[in-house]
Amino acid sequence: DAKTTQPNSMESNEEEPVHLPCNHSTISGTDYIHWYRQLPSQGPEYVIHGLTSNVNNRMASLAIAEDRKSSTLILHRATLRDAAVYYCILRASFNAGNMLTFGGGTRLMVKP
Amino acid sequence: GAVVSQHPSRVICKSGTSVKIECRSLDFQATTMFWYRQFPKQSLMLMATSNEGSKATYEQGVEKDKFLINHASLTLSTLTVTSAHPEDSSFYICSVPIGRSGANVLTFGAGSRLTVL
Protein backbone atom coordinates (compact mmCIF):
# COMPACT_ATOMS: atom_id res chain seq x y z
CA ASP A 1 0.00 0.00 0.00
CA ALA A 2 1.19 3.53 -0.80
CA LYS A 3 2.49 5.80 1.97
CA THR A 4 0.61 8.60 3.70
CA THR A 5 1.89 11.60 5.65
CA GLN A 6 0.02 13.12 8.58
CA PRO A 7 0.91 15.69 11.25
CA ASN A 8 1.94 14.04 14.49
CA SER A 9 -0.57 15.95 16.57
CA MET A 10 -3.30 18.56 16.44
CA GLU A 11 -5.33 20.46 18.99
CA SER A 12 -8.93 21.52 18.82
CA ASN A 13 -11.46 23.20 21.04
CA GLU A 14 -14.59 21.37 21.99
CA GLU A 15 -17.59 21.96 19.71
CA GLU A 16 -15.44 23.45 16.97
CA PRO A 17 -14.79 21.82 13.58
CA VAL A 18 -11.56 19.89 13.08
CA HIS A 19 -9.79 19.34 9.78
CA LEU A 20 -7.26 16.51 9.83
CA PRO A 21 -5.03 16.52 6.74
CA CYS A 22 -3.39 13.61 4.98
CA ASN A 23 -0.96 13.68 2.07
CA HIS A 24 -0.72 10.71 -0.26
CA SER A 25 1.12 11.92 -3.32
CA THR A 26 1.91 8.39 -4.57
CA ILE A 27 -1.70 7.23 -4.54
CA SER A 28 -2.68 5.01 -7.46
CA GLY A 29 -5.96 5.04 -9.32
CA THR A 30 -7.29 1.97 -7.52
CA ASP A 31 -6.40 3.04 -3.98
CA TYR A 32 -9.21 3.77 -1.55
CA ILE A 33 -8.57 6.36 1.17
CA HIS A 34 -9.48 4.97 4.58
CA TRP A 35 -9.62 6.68 7.95
CA TYR A 36 -9.59 4.87 11.26
CA ARG A 37 -9.28 6.21 14.77
CA GLN A 38 -8.01 4.68 17.97
CA LEU A 39 -9.29 5.88 21.30
CA PRO A 40 -7.01 5.39 24.31
CA SER A 41 -6.56 1.74 25.28
CA GLN A 42 -8.93 0.50 22.59
CA GLY A 43 -8.65 -1.13 19.19
CA PRO A 44 -9.00 1.08 16.12
CA GLU A 45 -12.43 1.79 14.71
CA TYR A 46 -13.46 2.53 11.15
CA VAL A 47 -14.39 6.15 10.48
CA ILE A 48 -14.88 6.63 6.76
CA HIS A 49 -13.47 5.78 3.36
CA GLY A 50 -13.66 7.14 -0.17
CA LEU A 51 -12.25 6.79 -3.65
CA THR A 52 -12.76 10.02 -5.60
CA SER A 53 -15.85 11.85 -4.39
CA ASN A 54 -16.32 13.51 -1.03
CA VAL A 55 -18.11 11.31 1.49
CA ASN A 56 -20.28 11.98 4.51
CA ASN A 57 -21.44 9.69 7.27
CA ARG A 58 -22.68 10.07 10.81
CA MET A 59 -19.16 10.26 12.21
CA ALA A 60 -17.35 12.55 9.81
CA SER A 61 -16.85 13.89 6.30
CA LEU A 62 -14.03 13.07 3.93
CA ALA A 63 -12.91 15.69 1.46
CA ILE A 64 -10.71 14.35 -1.33
CA ALA A 65 -8.61 16.66 -3.48
CA GLU A 66 -9.31 16.65 -7.18
CA ASP A 67 -5.90 15.12 -7.95
CA ARG A 68 -6.39 12.67 -5.05
CA LYS A 69 -2.95 13.45 -3.67
CA SER A 70 -4.38 14.65 -0.40
CA SER A 71 -7.50 14.33 1.68
CA THR A 72 -9.00 15.87 4.80
CA LEU A 73 -11.05 14.23 7.50
CA ILE A 74 -13.57 16.68 8.90
CA LEU A 75 -15.15 16.37 12.32
CA HIS A 76 -17.90 18.94 12.28
CA ARG A 77 -18.13 19.50 16.02
CA ALA A 78 -15.36 18.01 18.09
CA THR A 79 -16.26 16.51 21.44
CA LEU A 80 -13.98 15.31 24.20
CA ARG A 81 -14.78 11.75 23.08
CA ASP A 82 -13.17 12.49 19.72
CA ALA A 83 -9.73 12.69 21.33
CA ALA A 84 -7.89 9.84 19.63
CA VAL A 85 -5.19 8.95 17.15
CA TYR A 86 -6.52 9.25 13.60
CA TYR A 87 -4.97 7.09 10.91
CA CYS A 88 -5.16 7.81 7.19
CA ILE A 89 -4.48 4.63 5.19
CA LEU A 90 -4.50 3.81 1.50
CA ARG A 91 -5.96 0.45 0.48
CA ALA A 92 -5.69 -1.02 -2.99
CA SER A 93 -9.11 -2.18 -4.05
CA PHE A 94 -7.60 -5.43 -5.23
CA ASN A 95 -5.57 -5.92 -2.04
CA ALA A 96 -5.85 -9.65 -1.71
CA GLY A 97 -4.24 -9.53 1.71
CA ASN A 98 -6.96 -7.29 3.13
CA MET A 99 -4.78 -6.17 6.03
CA LEU A 100 -4.09 -2.52 6.84
CA THR A 101 -0.65 -0.98 7.19
CA PHE A 102 -0.74 1.70 9.87
CA GLY A 103 1.46 4.78 9.87
CA GLY A 104 2.00 7.08 12.80
CA GLY A 105 -1.35 8.85 12.61
CA THR A 106 -2.38 12.21 14.07
CA ARG A 107 -3.03 12.48 17.78
CA LEU A 108 -6.01 14.79 18.20
CA MET A 109 -6.34 16.57 21.52
CA VAL A 110 -9.66 18.26 22.29
CA LYS A 111 -9.73 21.04 24.85
CA PRO A 112 -12.89 21.77 26.83
CA GLY B 1 -22.19 -3.56 12.12
CA ALA B 2 -19.88 -6.48 12.67
CA VAL B 3 -18.69 -7.13 16.21
CA VAL B 4 -15.33 -8.59 17.15
CA SER B 5 -14.82 -9.77 20.70
CA GLN B 6 -11.42 -10.27 22.30
CA HIS B 7 -10.69 -12.05 25.55
CA PRO B 8 -9.09 -11.44 27.95
CA SER B 9 -8.90 -7.66 27.85
CA ARG B 10 -6.03 -7.66 30.33
CA VAL B 11 -3.70 -10.40 31.45
CA ILE B 12 -0.66 -10.47 33.71
CA CYS B 13 1.56 -13.50 33.67
CA LYS B 14 4.93 -14.65 34.93
CA SER B 15 7.90 -14.90 32.66
CA GLY B 16 8.12 -18.32 31.02
CA THR B 17 4.41 -19.06 31.01
CA SER B 18 2.07 -19.15 28.02
CA VAL B 19 -0.93 -16.93 27.45
CA LYS B 20 -3.84 -17.50 25.08
CA ILE B 21 -5.84 -14.65 23.59
CA GLU B 22 -9.14 -15.33 21.84
CA CYS B 23 -10.67 -13.35 19.01
CA ARG B 24 -14.28 -14.03 18.07
CA SER B 25 -16.25 -12.69 15.16
CA LEU B 26 -19.73 -12.58 16.67
CA ASP B 27 -21.90 -12.02 13.63
CA PHE B 28 -19.69 -12.56 10.62
CA GLN B 29 -17.95 -15.62 9.32
CA ALA B 30 -14.30 -14.82 8.87
CA THR B 31 -11.99 -16.99 6.80
CA THR B 32 -9.25 -14.49 7.59
CA MET B 33 -8.37 -12.60 10.75
CA PHE B 34 -5.41 -10.34 11.41
CA TRP B 35 -3.33 -10.04 14.56
CA TYR B 36 -1.61 -6.76 15.35
CA ARG B 37 0.73 -5.74 18.16
CA GLN B 38 1.14 -2.25 19.54
CA PHE B 39 3.86 -1.11 21.92
CA PRO B 40 3.35 2.04 24.03
CA LYS B 41 3.37 5.28 22.05
CA GLN B 42 3.77 3.36 18.78
CA SER B 43 1.52 2.46 15.88
CA LEU B 44 0.01 -0.93 15.18
CA MET B 45 2.25 -3.52 13.56
CA LEU B 46 0.81 -6.50 11.73
CA MET B 47 2.06 -9.75 13.23
CA ALA B 48 0.27 -12.41 11.25
CA THR B 49 -2.70 -13.35 9.12
CA SER B 50 -4.84 -16.12 10.53
CA ASN B 51 -6.42 -18.40 7.92
CA GLU B 52 -9.33 -20.67 8.74
CA GLY B 53 -8.40 -24.31 8.27
CA SER B 54 -4.80 -23.67 7.28
CA LYS B 55 -1.54 -22.29 8.62
CA ALA B 56 -1.17 -18.67 9.58
CA THR B 57 1.02 -16.35 7.54
CA TYR B 58 3.57 -14.49 9.67
CA GLU B 59 5.16 -11.14 8.96
CA GLN B 60 8.91 -10.89 8.73
CA GLY B 61 10.56 -10.93 12.12
CA VAL B 62 7.63 -12.56 13.95
CA GLU B 63 8.50 -15.99 15.36
CA LYS B 64 5.83 -18.49 14.44
CA ASP B 65 6.90 -20.89 17.18
CA LYS B 66 6.53 -18.20 19.80
CA PHE B 67 3.25 -16.72 18.62
CA LEU B 68 1.03 -19.69 17.86
CA ILE B 69 -2.09 -18.92 15.88
CA ASN B 70 -5.02 -21.27 15.49
CA HIS B 71 -8.06 -20.49 13.38
CA ALA B 72 -10.17 -23.57 13.91
CA SER B 73 -13.54 -22.14 12.92
CA LEU B 74 -15.01 -19.27 10.93
CA THR B 75 -15.68 -17.32 14.10
CA LEU B 76 -12.66 -17.97 16.31
CA SER B 77 -8.94 -17.32 16.07
CA THR B 78 -6.56 -17.69 18.99
CA LEU B 79 -3.10 -16.26 19.59
CA THR B 80 -0.92 -18.04 22.12
CA VAL B 81 2.20 -16.29 23.35
CA THR B 82 4.46 -19.13 24.41
CA SER B 83 7.20 -18.82 27.02
CA ALA B 84 6.38 -15.17 27.47
CA HIS B 85 9.08 -12.69 28.42
CA PRO B 86 8.82 -9.09 29.60
CA GLU B 87 9.62 -7.83 26.08
CA ASP B 88 6.42 -9.53 24.89
CA SER B 89 4.40 -7.12 27.04
CA SER B 90 2.24 -5.27 24.56
CA PHE B 91 -1.28 -4.54 23.34
CA TYR B 92 -2.49 -7.31 21.04
CA ILE B 93 -5.38 -6.53 18.72
CA CYS B 94 -7.24 -8.76 16.30
CA SER B 95 -9.31 -7.66 13.32
CA VAL B 96 -11.72 -9.08 10.80
CA PRO B 97 -12.07 -7.81 7.21
CA ILE B 98 -15.60 -6.94 6.22
CA GLY B 99 -16.30 -6.25 2.59
CA ARG B 100 -17.97 -2.88 2.09
CA SER B 101 -18.48 -1.70 -1.47
CA GLY B 102 -15.18 -3.24 -2.48
CA ALA B 103 -13.16 -1.35 0.09
CA ASN B 104 -12.59 -4.16 2.62
CA VAL B 105 -13.06 -2.36 5.93
CA LEU B 106 -11.50 -3.90 9.03
CA THR B 107 -13.40 -4.32 12.27
CA PHE B 108 -11.11 -4.50 15.29
CA GLY B 109 -11.43 -6.09 18.67
CA ALA B 110 -10.97 -4.00 21.80
CA GLY B 111 -7.49 -5.39 22.31
CA SER B 112 -5.75 -7.49 24.95
CA ARG B 113 -3.09 -5.90 27.12
CA LEU B 114 -0.43 -8.41 28.12
CA THR B 115 1.97 -7.68 30.95
CA VAL B 116 4.74 -10.19 31.55
CA LEU B 117 6.46 -9.91 34.92
Side-chain angles (χ1 to χ4, degrees):
Chain A
D1 295 323
K3 185 179 166 60
T4 63
T5 304
Q6 299 177 252
N8 289 334
S9 64
M10 289 185 65
E11 265 190 9
S12 169
N13 293 317
E14 196 176 11
E15 299 196 4
E16 290 186 356
V18 181
H19 291 231
L20 297 163
C22 181
N23 286 322
H24 29 79
S25 58
T26 59
I27 191 171
S28 73
T30 54
D31 285 342
Y32 281 83
I33 302 161
H34 284 238
W35 284 81
Y36 286 75
R37 73 178 185 180
Q38 186 177 22
L39 279 64
S41 299
Q42 295 188 30
E45 64 174 337
Y46 166 80
V47 177
I48 200 166
H49 77 277
L51 185 61
T52 55
S53 303
N54 295 343
V55 184
N56 299 298
N57 66 19
R58 62 176 181 80
M59 289 182 72
S61 295
L62 176 60
I64 302 173
E66 198 170 328
D67 63 5
R68 301 212 322 128
K69 293 185 177 182
S70 65
S71 61
T72 303
L73 180 71
I74 302 165
L75 307 179
H76 295 286
R77 283 179 74 234
T79 70
L80 296 178
R81 288 177 297 178
D82 291 322
V85 179
Y86 287 78
Y87 297 98
C88 168
I89 303 169
L90 301 184
R91 295 285 317 285
S93 62
F94 53 83
N95 185 337
N98 286 343
M99 76 285 193
L100 292 176
T101 301
F102 284 81
T106 296
R107 181 173 299 276
L108 175 65
M109 292 166 280
V110 181
K111 296 183 291 184
Chain B
V3 177
V4 176
S5 173
Q6 256 185 267
H7 178 80
S9 57
R10 291 178 181 273
V11 56
I12 300 173
C13 70
K14 293 182 179 179
S15 187
T17 60
S18 294
V19 174
K20 180 187 285 188
I21 300 169
E22 292 187 348
C23 178
R24 294 183 183 273
S25 176
L26 297 183
D27 55 358
F28 187 83
Q29 292 188 328
T31 56
T32 301
M33 293 186 182
F34 301 104
W35 286 95
Y36 288 83
R37 179 169 56 181
Q38 185 175 34
F39 292 108
K41 306 287 187 189
Q42 294 186 26
S43 189
L44 283 78
M45 294 296 295
L46 180 67
M47 296 176 67
T49 301
S50 172
N51 303 301
E52 188 267 334
S54 65
K55 291 182 180 179
T57 306
Y58 290 83
E59 295 299 300
Q60 193 171 5
V62 178
E63 299 174 57
K64 64 178 193 251
D65 294 329
K66 180 168 183 62
F67 299 99
L68 301 179
I69 291 173
N70 184 283
H71 194 151
S73 76
L74 290 171
T75 58
L76 175 64
S77 174
T78 60
L79 168 68
T80 302
V81 182
T82 63
S83 187
H85 287 100
E87 57 264 30
D88 298 323
S89 298
S90 189
F91 194 46
Y92 293 87
I93 311 166
C94 69
S95 65
V96 174
I98 310 293
R100 189 180 302 193
S101 64
N104 295 314
V105 169
L106 286 188
T107 297
F108 289 83
S112 300
R113 188 166 300 284
L114 171 63
T115 302
V116 184
L117 302 176

